[in-house]
Amino acid sequence: MAAASDVPAIWPGIRADDVNKRAIAPHSVLRRRVAMLTRLFNDQTLLPDVQKFPGWMDDSASDDSKTKDDEHEQCPLGDEDMKGSSRALSEITGDDDDDEEEEMDEEDCGDDVDGDKPKRRGPKKRKMTPERIERSKVRRSKANARERTRMHDLNSALDNLRKVVPCYSKTQKLSKIETLRLARNYIWTLGEILRNGKRPDVVSYVQTLCKGLSQPTTNLVAGCLQINSRNFLTEQCQEGARFHVPNPAFSLHGFPYQCPRLSSPQCPTGSSGPTLRNHSYCSSYDAMYAGGASPDYNSPDYEGHHSPPVCVNGNFSHRQQEPVSPNAERGYHYSMHYSGLSGSRSSAAHGLSYSSGARGGGSHSENVPPFHDVHGSNERAPVYEELNAFFHT
DNA sequence: TAGGCCATCTGGTCCT
DNA sequence: AGGACCAGATGGCCTA
């Protein structure tokens, strides 16, 4: 066992506690690691790769990094749990060539143990009886079921997220990664609005929303806002990767943009952006900023607001959770509404489904009403009151 | 047909 | 020991 004081200072991020806790020992192993790290530091060609790991110099990073690399290097100590998938497979299949594998691993990793091979530690391998094999299979199938459930929960949460970002369609779902990116941009945009207290122009709004999104998603968002994506994409490219409220020179203040849907009872079909196929959306921008216009809530086209959360009281809320009258709906000034379906669809097809696994037979954590008390409403209430006042002016 | 996206299985790791 | 979480592998589906 190496004392903490034996650890050379060049070993980044390793604390004395770590050394003791991890029971690393032979000095030869330590020397080998130091040599390897020294090579890493000296080899300029390796530096970029090394630096790619975020926080790799941190203590936490060193703790995490032990998982893969150190496991491998500790194999002379004979930790059976670290043998990897071939081990698990052989356990299940009951193969008896384990000893050969262990010897091979020890030879691979223990090239400099100077003959005094450390004894194997950890639990001794027990023979795989048919009962144990069966139990292992049962355990595995249960784990698979749990994993499926977990992923379904995650997908339900993503579905809920899709409904509150400013571009929602039942027929053309955003991918998971694009949903997350758009949500990030949307949050950032709202934050900027709160900070600046200014209404951005529509192009800036879309530009900000589309930062880092793929071309199809950008087109989709542009379609939601019913502007030509080329208008802002050209500038977006010039801006580079910097994420900011866009160039005022491109600003279209006073841009006489108005969502047709808001000016007519029904959002017209085919008003979508360049690459949209049979989807009609309505502008979140309008909904946020146009203020006075209200959709026809009795229209067959209105399928409720797959909308960004309403922040009147500092809480995000899905209003579909309880039935509300159309008049009550109108009280939300900047709720947003997206058709998500072609305007020619029948009303039957427009039944609002906020189920998304949560309410509709979902049996998981998504049953929790979304958005409530996500933020501490008390401490943030003044902010939202300001916002509220801002949008009412 | 290549590439993107997704669901599922699986083993590893950490935690209780 | 078992559950949660994670990431890699794999195969299916869809679209350009």
Side-chain angles (χ1 to χ4, degrees):
Chain A
M1 174 67 67
S5 57
D6 293 333
V7 181
I10 195 173
W11 197 344
I14 296 294
R15 299 181 302 242
D17 286 345
D18 289 328
V19 177
N20 292 327
K21 201 166 46 186
R22 290 153 74 185
I24 309 166
H27 284 219
S28 56
V29 175
L30 295 179
R31 279 197 301 272
R32 194 155 47 85
R33 289 186 181 184
V34 170
M36 183 187 69
L37 286 168
T38 305
R39 278 202 307 274
L40 277 178
F41 278 109
N42 291 336
D43 189 344
Q44 295 298 318
T45 64
L46 291 177
L47 279 179
D49 284 339
V50 172
Q51 290 169 343
K52 264 195 306 194
F53 297 99
W56 70 288
M57 290 284 285
D58 297 341
D59 288 342
S60 59
S62 72
D63 285 341
D64 290 337
S65 67
K66 79 174 188 204
T67 53
K68 292 272 173 7
D69 295 338
D70 289 356
E71 279 165 16
H72 193 64
E73 291 197 356
Q74 285 177 28
C75 68
L77 299 179
D79 187 347
E80 272 209 37
D81 288 337
M82 305 301 181
K83 290 296 182 184
S85 58
S86 61
R87 159 77 59 201
L89 186 64
S90 65
E91 277 192 5
I92 289 178
T93 56
D95 289 348
D96 271 345
D97 54 356
D98 300 312
D99 293 338
E100 287 182 18
E101 284 183 21
E102 286 164 14
E103 282 185 353
M104 281 181 60
D105 285 346
E106 285 179 3
E107 284 177 8
D108 288 344
C109 306
D111 53 346
D112 54 355
V113 287
D114 299 330
D116 54 341
K117 287 189 177 179
K119 289 185 177 178
R120 284 183 49 201
R121 298 196 307 182
K124 288 188 176 169
K125 177 173 162 44
R126 286 184 291 176
K127 188 134 182 94
M128 286 302 290
T129 65
E131 291 77 20
R132 291 189 64 209
I133 294 173
E134 191 56 33
R135 258 185 301 164
S136 177
K137 285 179 181 174
V138 169
R139 204 166 50 228
R140 189 62 256 173
S141 66
K142 281 169 66 179
N144 288 346
R146 282 194 307 272
E147 180 66 9
R148 273 196 303 272
T149 299
R150 199 179 67 86
M151 296 311 294
H152 290 164
D153 281 353
L154 189 60
N155 290 337
S156 294
L158 266 168
D159 277 341
N160 281 339
L161 187 59
R162 282 189 185 99
K163 289 169 183 169
V164 298
V165 295
C167 192
Y168 175 74
S169 166
K170 282 180 183 173
T171 52
Q172 189 178 4
K173 284 200 322 185
L174 288 177
S175 71
K176 294 178 177 179
I177 183 68
E178 294 292 88
T179 301
L180 292 175
R181 286 174 179 148
L182 181 57
R184 175 204 59 186
N185 292 352
Y186 184 51
I187 291 168
W188 194 90
T189 303
L190 294 181
E192 282 300 294
I193 292 171
L194 281 178
R195 271 189 293 277
N196 299 336
K198 269 195 324 190
R199 161 186 173 158
D201 60 275
V202 63
V203 175
S204 298
Y205 179 66
V206 179
Q207 277 182 325
T208 309
L209 284 181
C210 292
K211 294 282 182 182
L213 300 186
S214 69
Q215 177 68 53
T217 309
T218 298
N219 290 337
L220 200 63
V221 175
C224 289
L225 295 162
Q226 300 179 6
I227 68 172
N228 190 332
S229 63
R230 281 175 298 185
N231 284 354
F232 61 88
L233 276 180
T234 50
E235 190 207 354
Q236 187 176 350
C237 295
Q238 291 166 2
E239 286 175 352
R242 199 157 54 95
F243 191 81
H244 71 299
V245 174
N247 187 350
F250 205 75
S251 170
L252 292 178
H253 288 295
F255 182 67
Y257 164 76
Q258 188 176 18
C259 174
R261 184 175 194 169
L262 290 177
S263 54
S264 65
Q266 294 189 1
C267 195
T269 317
S271 59
S272 53
T275 61
L276 294 180
R277 302 177 300 257
N278 302 323
H279 306 288
S280 69
Y281 304 87
C282 217
S283 163
S284 61
Y285 184 87
D286 265 343
M288 278 185 79
Y289 299 115
S294 296
D296 181 356
Y297 295 97
N298 296 318
S299 161
D301 242 1
Y302 181 69
E303 61 178 42
H305 39 89
H306 310 289
S307 67
V310 180
C311 310
V312 178
N313 299 320
N315 282 340
F316 290 157
S317 64
H318 266 283
R319 282 164 290 153
Q320 273 67 33
Q321 287 165 15
E322 64 270 4
V324 281
S325 69
N327 286 338
E329 293 267 342
R330 289 172 208 270
Y332 294 88
H333 283 255
Y334 33 92
S335 67
M336 301 167 210
H337 40 276
Y338 310 98
S339 166
L341 290 172
S342 165
S344 61
R345 300 283 290 271
S346 70
S347 60
H350 290 246
L352 179 65
S353 67
Y354 261 78
S355 59
S356 86
R359 275 159 288 273
S363 59
H364 313 309
S365 57
E366 285 302 300
N367 285 323
V368 177
F371 310 120
H372 282 296
D373 300 319
V374 172
H375 304 287
S377 58
N378 290 336
E379 59 193 32
R380 305 200 55 154
V383 178
Y384 284 101
E385 282 171 6
E386 279 183 31
L387 178 65
N388 203 18
F390 165 72
F391 278 106
H392 279 76
T393 56

